[in-house]
Every structure is written in structure tokens, then in C-alpha cells.
Amino acid sequence: MAQFLPSGGSTESIQNVLNSIEDGRLAPESAIPLLARGKSATVSASWRRDRGESELETPDAVLEDLNRLVGLQEIKRMVRDIRAFVSIQSLRDQAGLTKNQQTFHMIFSGAPGTGKTTVARIMGRLFKALEVLPKGHLVEVERADLVGEYIGHTAQKTREVLKRALGGVLFIDEAYSLARGGEKDFGKEAIDTLVAATENYRDDLLVILAGYPDEMAWFLSTNPGLLSRFPLRLEFPDYSAHDLVQIARRLLRERDYTLATDAEAGLLQLLTDNEGYWHKNAGNARMVRNLLEHAIRRQAVRLTSRQTPLTRHDLMTLAWTDFEGGVG
Amino acid sequence: MEVVIVGAPNVGKSLFVINFTQYLGSREIQMEESSGASGLPRDRRLSFEKARRDLVSLYSPKTTQIQTMTAHVLINRQPQRLYLLDTPGINDGIAPDAAARWQIARTLERALTATTILHMIDASLVATRRRESLGAFDMAMLGWGRQLDCYGVIAHKMDRPGSHEGLRILRTQFPDVPIIPVSSITRRGYRELKLFLVRALT
Ligand SMILES: Nc1nc2c(ncn2[C@@H]2O[C@H](COP(=O)(O)OP(=O)(O)OP(=O)(O)O)[C@@H](O)[C@H]2O)c(=O)[nH]1
Ligand SMILES: [Mg+2]
């Protein structure tokens, strides 16, 4: 649950209501009036606003895309919380109440291939739909884009990147590498320029620092000022074997392949056996992609060596033999 | 664009979703079950014939999990993907079965984030004293819906005796809610419903 929501916030009570239904403590007819408070306040208002401007994406449409991502339950919940919080803040603003001076800069920690960039892109679209950011585009950079080779070069490079990102999201991958060289490194200069930018462009820029969990924790410990400037922390867990099989199915569907039953079972078994043991660079969804690439090549070899005519079904189906022996 | 169809058991949600998808011009049913036998979401492609045979039932309750069907509508001449969510029928009171309760929670959760909620009522039963006539769940949904812009009622089974009286009662009791009379046997009202969705989605 998001820590930044005031206690008793609407999303928290929605979750409570849903849990009470599941536990058999609340009948649907009693639950609905409680849920109604959450939805009529947040969704209906933005709905009305969006109606006039059809080219503007609705927050709901963005959240739908988020919901269609495999797994990531906790992240989805947090994003919904953030959305509720922003909606309420703008309603408060319209009602002439004081606006909370919340900044939304974020830390994404998780292994590569766990969905960080995808969620960052969705975050940009969501903030645009909520009218927090004017453009909502994503600029993805790493250390080399920010850090220069001589004095003054770094500040110049960083400022250029900031200019490109203004109005949208600046996503800094492997952000901890900025602190790698210690005090004398030019990375330090980049961090300082960024931190200043988070203050100066607070209404016009969302900065997301991303990287491996351990390294990000270390990075934050090197620079305590970052903690308060990046108040939102999203953790991207490694996908479960089930999630990964689902990802595999989606990737294959996009390319007009399907998994034979034995291949689906075998893949699930393989991924389950290895759950938690992948070398961290093997990287999750990316690793599944590699497995599939390999299987697609093996299937082609298998089919060309066959004597009988090939059906459409043959051409589409990956069998378990196409996978076997395919993981290093 | 997500449209969630909610309602009591046996009001005809599944038949409606299948026939309406066909009406919108899809060639077959493309459906995602929220959990297949393996516990994972499962995609299925079915002919309309088979979908009607497998998913619609004389005996209630039939649908036990959320099924998402994909259709398309033209909005500003652009085809927009539409997800129609067929959900398990919801009874009044606390469901004795934990799996059913879990599904109810998921259904309401999806209704919270949906673009539009369509609440289906069997119009032919509204005027009767049968157990299936307007219940506590329906009344609660109507109470919620009247606060929303993205909500409409389908007065279903308009081909059946008593449905006109039922529709009249609904319209008198809830003058501020859009109520669309529909029959999934004669397909009366599909055109109006499509217009309603297009307007809601643009
Ligand atoms: N006369 C008439 N019968 C209908 C109509 N729509 C559905 N039915 C019938 O109503 C019965 C129930 O239909 P379903 O589509 O399975 O109902 P449901 O709401 O999905 O039921 P659950 O999944 O149990 O919640 C079936 O016998 C359908 O043939 C209609 O418009 N008119
Ligand atoms: Mg059904």
C-alpha cells in the first residue's frame, strides 16, 4: 500500500471493502455504496473533463493498458493509488482547498526485464491524462548520456537531456552508476544538476531513477538528500514462472506461433525449477525472449527435415523438443 | 476501452455479449478467461455457434469467472478496440462459496476502473414477485449508477411477456438513469446500445 496516501484515503478503503467481500464479511449490496464513494469522486470527475477533449487519453484508458501487463500486482495497486491521490488533489484544488505539495519523482528497483521501462512509459501517459504533465513523453538515458569528460561538460550534457525531457518523464537506467566513481567523479556533478532540476521544474518534469534493488539501496545511502526528493519507491519483483509462461504466450501470439501442450508444460516446469536461481543478468522477460528465439530457430530446423507436407498448424506450433537443450 | 456487464444470474449477460460482439462485426469470439484450468489466463477462439452452446445456459449460474471478449467499434472513423467483460451473475447476500466471493470482488474491482458499466436487468421479471426480480444488489447498483456518467441499464429479454411493464416500472423509478430496452433473441436495441457506447467512449 502506498505510504503517501493520507490514512483513510479512498484507495485503501476500496481494498478493505474488496477484502471484506472475499472473506464473507460483506454482501455485494452493502459493499457497493462503500465503493461508490471511491468511484464517483475520482472517475466521474475526470470522465466529465475528458469528454470534451477526445484526443486526450483518459486515465482509465491508461490504467487499462497497465492492467493488461502480466503480473506486477503490487505496482498496479500503487499506480492506482497515485492516480486516486492526484485526482483528489486536483478536485481539492478546484474546490479552493490547499493543494498538497507532493512531488512524484520515483525510484524503480528491480532486475532488467521486469517491466520498469514499460511502467515508466505508462506513468508518463497517466500523468499527461491527469494533466499533471503537459507532454508525458519518456526520455530514457544512462550514465553516458549525462556524464561528460571534462569539467563543465557534464553540466552541459545533463542540461541538454533535461531540456529534452521537460514536460515528460526522464528515466535514468542504472542510476547508481552515477555515484560509482565517488566524490571526484563527474557523476556527482550530474546528480547535483538533476537534484536541482527536480526542484526547479517540479511541475514540469518527472524523474525516475531505476536499477537493481541492491545497487539502488546503496546509491540512496550515498546521498541521503535523494530520499526526500524521490518519495515514491516501486519495487519490481522477478516474474514468477506462471507470469513468464504467460509472457511467452503473448510474445508468441504476436508472432503467430503457439505452444504445444507439452511445450507449455515443459516451459512451466523449466521456469519453476529455476525460479529464484537465474543469474541476475539472465534477466527475466528478456531471458524468456531468448528462449523463444532459440525455439523458433530449432522448430524451423525440425520442420525442414520432415518428409511429410506441412500444415498451417505445424508451421505455428512450437513443441517441447524445440526448447529442450536450449538453455545455457 | 473496457465495458463491464454486471447483473444477477441468468439475466442473459453471456448471450448478450456473444450476440453483441457478432453484431459489431467480429468474425468469431476472441476471449480471455481470467483463469483457465492451469490457473493462468487462457485465450480461446470460438465460433459464435459454439460460444452460444458452451457459455449460455438454461440453468443458472453458468458463468463462473470473468471472460473478456474483444470487439471493435468505429469512433471518429477509427476502429477502437472494445473489451466486453462478461462476469458471473451476482446474487444478493453473502455467497457461501469462497471462489464465488472472490469473483464478485474481482467483478466489482473491474467495474471501478471500467470505462463504462452496463447493468443488466431481466425486464420480464421486474413486475413479478419472483426471487429473481429487482433485488438488493440491483438496487445498490442503481443507486451507485445514478451518480455516474459512465453507467447504463440494459432492460433485457424485451421479447418476453411482462417486459414492457417491467421497463415502465424501471423508467418511473429511475428517471435519471439511461435505460436501454434490448432483446438478445430479436436483437432489438443493439443499435441504440452501440450508439450509447460510442457516445460514452468519445
Ligand atoms: N427470451 C430471452 N431469453 C434470453 C435473452 N437473453 C438470454 N436469454 C436466455 O436466458 C438464459 C440465461 O442466459 P445467460 O446468457 O447464460 O445468462 P447469464 O446472465 O450469463 O447467467 P450467469 O452466467 O449465470 O450469470 C438462457 O436460457 C438464454 O437463452 C433474451 O434477450 N430474451
Ligand atoms: Mg453468463
Side-chain angles (χ1 to χ4, degrees):
Chain A
M1 197 90 283
Q3 325 82 327
F4 63 89
L5 277 179
S7 59
S10 63
T11 338
E12 193 179 302
S13 56
I14 285 176
Q15 204 48 50
N16 286 342
V17 172
L18 295 175
N19 289 342
S20 306
I21 299 175
E22 286 172 32
D23 300 347
R25 283 178 283 125
L26 203 58
E29 62 267 26
S30 327
I32 288 167
L34 301 174
L35 295 174
R37 287 189 211 147
K39 174 140 181 161
S40 59
T42 56
V43 180
S44 194
S46 56
W47 174 271
R48 269 189 206 105
R49 176 153 42 81
D50 290 338
R51 273 196 164 175
E53 320 158 47
S54 55
E55 78 283 15
L56 192 72
E57 224 177 2
T58 68
D60 287 327
V62 181
L63 287 182
E64 253 168 54
D65 282 355
L66 178 71
N67 276 338
R68 298 193 73 78
L69 300 180
V70 173
L72 299 176
Q73 294 315 327
E74 200 46 45
I75 302 279
K76 290 174 184 170
R77 194 143 287 160
M78 258 192 94
V79 175
R80 263 181 269 144
D81 290 355
I82 292 172
R83 178 262 165 92
F85 179 82
V86 172
S87 302
I88 294 295
Q89 286 306 319
S90 72
L91 285 180
R92 283 177 57 93
D93 198 25
Q94 283 165 30
L97 299 166
T98 31
K99 210 168 139 189
N100 193 316
Q101 283 304 319
Q102 173 76 43
T103 62
F104 292 104
H105 303 300
M106 305 178 188
I107 311 267
F108 283 11
S109 48
T114 49
K116 296 191 296 295
T117 317
T118 311
V119 172
R121 192 163 281 120
I122 287 179
M123 212 63 104
R125 286 167 52 202
L126 179 66
F127 276 33
K128 173 168 189 210
L130 290 167
E131 295 174 17
V132 175
L133 289 175
K135 294 202 213 136
H137 65 297
L138 184 86
V139 172
E140 191 179 351
V141 298
E142 51 183 39
R143 183 188 154 98
D145 300 302
L146 298 166
V147 176
E149 275 123 45
Y150 47 87
I151 296 177
H153 192 199
T154 297
Q156 181 199 333
K157 280 181 99 167
T158 306
R159 261 186 258 114
E160 269 160 28
V161 165
L162 284 166
K163 210 158 84 192
R164 269 199 291 141
L166 226 51
V169 177
L170 176 59
F171 182 86
I172 305 176
D173 208 7
E174 315 212 354
Y176 52 82
S177 64
L178 290 174
R180 205 172 44 198
E183 277 299 308
K184 294 223 184 67
D185 184 71
F186 290 137
K188 177 87 173 47
E189 198 179 338
I191 297 172
D192 293 340
T193 314
L194 283 170
V195 165
T198 61
E199 299 287 317
N200 299 342
Y201 308 117
R202 63 186 308 154
D203 293 329
D204 226 11
L205 183 69
L206 175 69
V207 182
I208 298 177
L209 305 178
Y212 288 111
D214 293 351
E215 277 88 345
M216 289 310 286
W218 167 80
F219 178 46
L220 294 174
S221 72
T222 64
N223 195 331
L226 291 173
L227 281 171
S228 59
R229 291 183 171 99
F230 291 82
L232 302 184
R233 252 144 265 147
L234 274 64
E235 276 158 36
F236 290 70
D238 288 353
Y239 287 113
S240 71
H242 272 224
D243 290 342
L244 289 172
V245 170
Q246 206 190 330
I247 289 171
R249 285 167 58 252
R250 291 205 183 171
L251 290 172
L252 288 174
R253 185 168 17 137
E254 282 166 17
R255 307 174 55 168
D256 278 341
Y257 282 95
T258 59
L259 286 174
T261 319
D262 70 329
E264 177 148 346
L267 194 59
L268 182 62
Q269 190 59 49
L270 172 80
L271 294 168
T272 309
D273 291 346
N274 286 285
E275 227 165 342
Y277 290 104
W278 299 106
H279 181 263
K280 70 176 182 180
N281 288 318
N284 276 313
R286 229 166 281 174
M287 175 263 309
V288 168
R289 205 182 289 265
N290 292 342
L291 272 172
L292 297 180
E293 297 290 346
H294 183 88
I296 285 171
R297 286 197 298 272
R298 298 256 310 219
Q299 183 234 30
V301 175
R302 173 169 62 84
L303 293 182
T304 42
S305 66
R306 228 177 65 170
Q307 305 302 320
T308 46
L310 296 171
T311 64
R312 187 180 158 82
H313 178 261
D314 294 330
L315 293 169
M316 285 184 70
T317 309
L318 296 181
W320 177 237
T321 48
D322 302 325
F323 285 88
E324 269 174 324
V327 254
Chain B
M1 306 282 180
E2 247 180 50
V3 178
V4 176
I5 292 96
V6 297
N10 213 43
V11 296
K13 297 178 294 298
S14 301
L15 182 62
F16 163 75
V17 169
I18 296 163
N19 286 358
F20 192 60
T21 304
Q22 186 169 30
Y23 173 81
L24 291 177
S26 299
R27 269 173 299 150
E28 58 178 359
I29 291 283
Q30 281 184 38
M31 166 171 104
E32 182 177 298
E33 293 175 335
S34 52
S35 58
S38 59
L40 291 170
R42 189 164 84 112
D43 292 315
R44 293 174 69 186
R45 278 160 186 257
L46 302 170
S47 69
F48 292 108
E49 263 318 301
K50 181 153 172 53
R52 279 189 282 265
R53 220 169 33 238
D54 289 4
L55 308 178
V56 179
S57 140
L58 277 174
Y59 313 102
S60 169
K62 174 66 174 176
T63 308
T64 53
Q65 56 171 313
I66 298 176
Q67 315 177 135
T68 307
M69 323 248 171
T70 311
H72 292 85
V73 280
L74 288 181
I75 291 182
N76 300 330
R77 299 213 197 99
Q78 300 290 326
Q80 279 268 7
R81 195 175 308 154
L82 194 67
Y83 296 108
L84 295 168
L85 273 68
D86 178 20
T87 64
I90 298 182
N91 279 308
D92 293 351
I94 294 171
D97 176 30
R101 291 198 303 268
W102 195 80
Q103 289 295 338
I104 292 170
R106 297 291 74 73
T107 298
L108 295 177
E109 186 176 38
R110 295 298 283 269
L112 281 166
T113 51
T115 327
T116 296
I117 301 171
L118 291 178
H119 174 193
M120 184 172 278
I121 293 173
D122 183 337
S124 67
L125 294 176
V126 170
T128 67
R129 293 183 171 279
R130 297 261 303 272
R131 195 170 54 85
E132 300 92 332
S133 101
L134 273 198
F137 165 73
D138 287 312
M139 295 304 279
M141 277 305 298
L142 281 154
W144 178 19
R146 67 202 313 174
Q147 308 166 25
L148 298 172
D149 286 338
C150 45
Y151 171 86
V153 168
I154 297 180
H156 206 211
K157 306 201 184 177
M158 284 308 293
D159 56 289
R160 296 193 62 192
S163 55
H164 289 265
E165 178 58 7
L167 175 64
R168 199 187 55 77
I169 295 175
L170 283 174
R171 287 204 162 136
T172 342
Q173 279 194 35
F174 302 95
D176 48 352
V177 166
I179 300 175
I180 303 152
V182 170
S183 161
S184 289
I185 303 286
T186 66
R187 309 194 182 200
R188 154 173 185 200
Y190 276 22
R191 212 177 88 86
E192 289 75 10
L193 198 62
K194 181 179 163 188
L195 288 174
F196 174 81
L197 288 180
V198 169
R199 221 173 317 124
L201 302 176
T202 35

